[in-house]
Amino acid sequence: MLKDYRFAILITFISTMIFYFSPSLSENFKAKSSLQQSFVEARVTDVVSNELAPDLRVPSILTGKQVFNAEILEGPETGKIVEIQNPLSRQHNVLVEQGDVFIMMIRITGREKVYWAYNHKRSTAIYWMGFSFVLLLLSFGKKEGFHSIVSLYFTAALIIGVLIPSIFAGFNPVPITIILMGIKIVVNFILVSGYNRKSFCAMGGTLLGVIAAGIMAQVFGEFAHLSGIYLDKGEDVIYISNQVLQVRWLMFVAIMISALGAVMDVAISIASAYNELRITDPKLSPTQLMRASMNIGRDIMGTMTNTLILAFAGSSLTTIMMVWGLDMPLTQFINTPVIALAIIHALAGSVGIVLTIPLTAWLARYILK
């Protein structure tokens, strides 16, 4: 039984090693913060005062000022009770009650030490949700579910442990992204579909599809006078690196990562359809098989392009609400960088999906003989 899991165990080990060694190897690529601060868990012992009222615009939110005492639960000051002045606004709304556990920021400014209610403790909810997700995958997917978890873990290791440090080191992100996504694609399909010709076909179709999507995003992004600087926090990352970041190419990287999942789904669907048709009716010619796979792909195309565009729409929901609420004319909003960037990303990802169908079918014609 262990034989069936050897490759998954190897990938898990490699991913763990990446996470273990990456922080020490990439430490010099980060800018050193001048702030002396730490974040610890704390518990509210008693609430001294509440000067709160419902917000006029958002009545479900209480704003104002709160004063309470809290006991520090970890770190060198464990057990110490401090008083916290807690102003509440719409954006910073850490409203607490007696007994609540929250995240406290301790910052040293000169000779003074400031204690601040930084945020609610959200990690417990995230951990439980993650545990539920893993449990469901293992319950219903069994071996395949375990392989899916390993694949996600490996993806996180490549992006967090290799890609991001490489970008901060000043390397050109385009070749690094292509190599890492190529490795990710190979590992994913071996884990999910096994080491066979069908997987090879899907690997090739996926890689070609995401590269096409990345090229489309970069070319038309530059044509529209956009660059990675317009991505969310694109300008901020410039100031937290010791090297000159090649932000120009971050659009290519972003679209390759965001479109990869959808393109993989399409590629394996086309490769599987071609392979099953070939096995079911060996008399079908490669041209007939390719045409049948393309017909199946057209049905997939409609739903997958909607999936990708709706994903981008969901992430830009508040921006769309602003456009509607301010009654912006077409000329104004379509030329706004954030809107133009979202549209180009959504269209580039959809182009990658559309091109993946014929590319995978064409590869299947020669690989699945």
Side-chain angles (χ1 to χ4, degrees), residues 307-320:
T307 299
L308 201 57
I309 289 176
L310 288 173
F312 280 110
S315 61
S316 307
L317 180 62
T318 50
T319 305
I320 297 170

Side-chain angles (χ1 to χ4, degrees), residues 193-208:
S193 303
Y195 188 81
N196 51 55
R197 291 189 179 188
K198 182 178 71 175
S199 293
F200 299 155
C201 181
M203 291 172 195
T206 301
L207 187 59
L208 292 173

Side-chain angles (χ1 to χ4, degrees), residues 305-332:
T305 51
N306 273 305
T307 299
L308 201 57
I309 289 176
L310 288 173
F312 280 110
S315 61
S316 307
L317 180 62
T318 50
T319 305
I320 297 170
M321 291 173 66
M322 285 288 292
V323 169
W324 187 90
L326 295 173
D327 198 20
M328 290 185 184
L330 177 65
T331 304
Q332 180 185 1

